[in-house]
Amino acid sequence: MIGVIGGSGFYTFFGADARTIDLDTPFGQPSAPVTVGEVAGHEVAFLPRHGLKHEFSPHTVPYQANMWALRAFGVRRIFAPCAVGSLTPELGPGAMVVPDQLVDRTNGRGDTYFDSGGIHVGFADPYCPTLRAVAADLPNVVDGGTMVVVQGPRFSTRAESRWYAGQGFTLINMTGYPEAVLARELEMCYASIALVTDLDAGVEAGAGVRAVDVFAEFERNISGFKQLVHEAIAGVAPERTCTHCLAHEGVSLPFDLP
C-alpha cells in the first residue's frame, strides 16, 4: 500500500466514495482518520498531517502516531507533499521541488521509536531514492534541494533566513522532521514533494511571510499539486524493490515493527 501525507491546505485526496478508517497506536491517535482509495491501480492511504481542519501546529503534530498507524495499516511507501518557503529567488511561488537533503533545526519533538536497545539508523540520504526518482522525473519538477526544518510555529526572522540561505539551504519548512526519520526507523520508503508558497523573509527586501498569503498561494496551486501526486503514484512500480530504506538489516530490534 502507498501512503500520502497531506500538508497545509492538503486535507483531502479522494472523493466521497473513499473508505474511512479510525486507527489507534501506542503513541495515541494519528492526526485524523485514514481515508483509503485507489490511484492508478494502487491502493492508497491518505492522512492529513495537520488534521482535517488544521488542528495541529507543526510542533504538535503527532508524528509518531501518524507514521506508526500507516505502517500498521500496511503502508510501506509514502509520498509527503508539503508547503515550503524558498530561500533562493530562483525558486519562486508555485515551483514544485523534490528535495534530496534535509537539515533539522527543531527541538523537543519525539523523533525515535527506540528509546532503548541501542538502535541506530543510517540517515545520510534521508529520502528514498526510488520514490524520489519517480517524482523528480515528472514534468516541471525541480530535482534536488536542501530543506531546513524549523521548529515553528513562527516564521523566521530576516537574519535567520539569510543565515539559512548562506549555508546553501534552498527550502524551509516546519514539518519535514521528524517524519522522515520515523519513516526510516519503520523501514518505510519516504519522499517529500514540496510546493513553494513564498520567498522567505531574507530573500526579498521588504518582504515577510504571512500565514494568510501562504495558504492563499497553496490554494491557487492545490489542484495541480494533487495531480502531480497522482502522477507520482502512477509511476510507482507494483512491487517494492528498494533496499535503501531497510534500516535494520542484520540488527535485532527490541520490539517487532508493526
Side-chain angles (χ1 to χ4, degrees):
M1 185 181 293
I2 294 175
V4 173
I5 303 175
S8 297
F10 199 139
Y11 308 124
T12 62
F13 195 55
F14 303 114
D17 58 338
R19 291 187 292 135
T20 299
I21 310 294
D22 288 300
L23 300 172
D24 201 0
T25 79
F27 304 91
Q29 291 187 324
S31 299
V34 173
T35 53
V36 183
E38 185 174 306
V39 176
H42 291 284
E43 190 175 25
V44 177
F46 174 75
L47 177 64
R49 180 183 293 115
H50 294 280
L52 292 173
K53 298 180 180 179
H54 208 100
E55 304 96 309
F56 296 98
S57 290
H59 65 297
T60 64
V61 169
Y63 296 101
Q64 290 169 306
N66 286 351
M67 305 309 285
W68 189 277
L70 290 174
R71 164 85 193 197
F73 193 57
V75 169
R76 295 296 182 270
R77 295 177 285 185
I78 295 174
F79 284 115
C82 62
V84 299
S86 171
L87 294 166
T88 172
E90 285 73 35
L91 294 174
M96 299 184 191
V97 187
V98 180
D100 60 345
Q101 280 294 321
L102 70 77
V103 174
D104 171 33
R105 295 286 300 170
T106 67
N107 62 82
R109 300 182 181 187
D111 62 354
T112 183
Y113 295 106
F114 298 105
D115 288 324
S116 64
I119 303 300
H120 307 273
V121 298
F123 203 54
D125 297 296
Y127 302 111
C128 171
T130 304
L131 291 185
R132 276 201 71 259
V134 170
D137 195 45
L138 295 173
N140 303 314
V141 172
V142 178
D143 182 3
T146 297
M147 183 166 70
V148 56
V149 185
V150 298
Q151 176 71 357
R154 69 169 179 85
F155 295 112
S156 299
T157 67
R158 297 188 194 283
E160 289 169 333
S161 179
R162 290 171 183 142
W163 179 42
Y164 298 142
Q167 301 304 307
F169 311 153
T170 51
L171 305 170
I172 185 166
N173 166 268
M174 297 180 187
T175 57
Y177 189 91
E179 205 170 82
V181 73
L182 293 174
R184 184 63 52 84
E185 286 195 345
L186 293 176
E187 296 195 326
M188 293 190 292
C189 294
Y190 177 99
S192 178
I193 306 176
L195 171 64
V196 175
T197 58
D198 60 273
L199 295 177
D200 210 50
V203 178
E204 186 178 8
V209 183
R210 300 190 311 158
V212 64
D213 298 328
V214 169
F215 285 112
E217 182 64 29
F218 202 96
E219 183 62 27
R220 280 191 288 271
N221 291 278
I222 187 62
S223 178
F225 197 34
K226 286 185 178 181
Q227 181 59 36
L228 179 73
V229 177
H230 274 85
E231 293 172 1
I233 293 170
V236 174
E239 298 296 327
R240 182 188 185 194
T241 59
C242 171
T243 58
H244 175 85
C245 301
L246 300 181
H248 305 305
E249 285 189 309
V251 176
S252 297
L253 301 180
F255 57 82
D256 292 331
L257 299 183

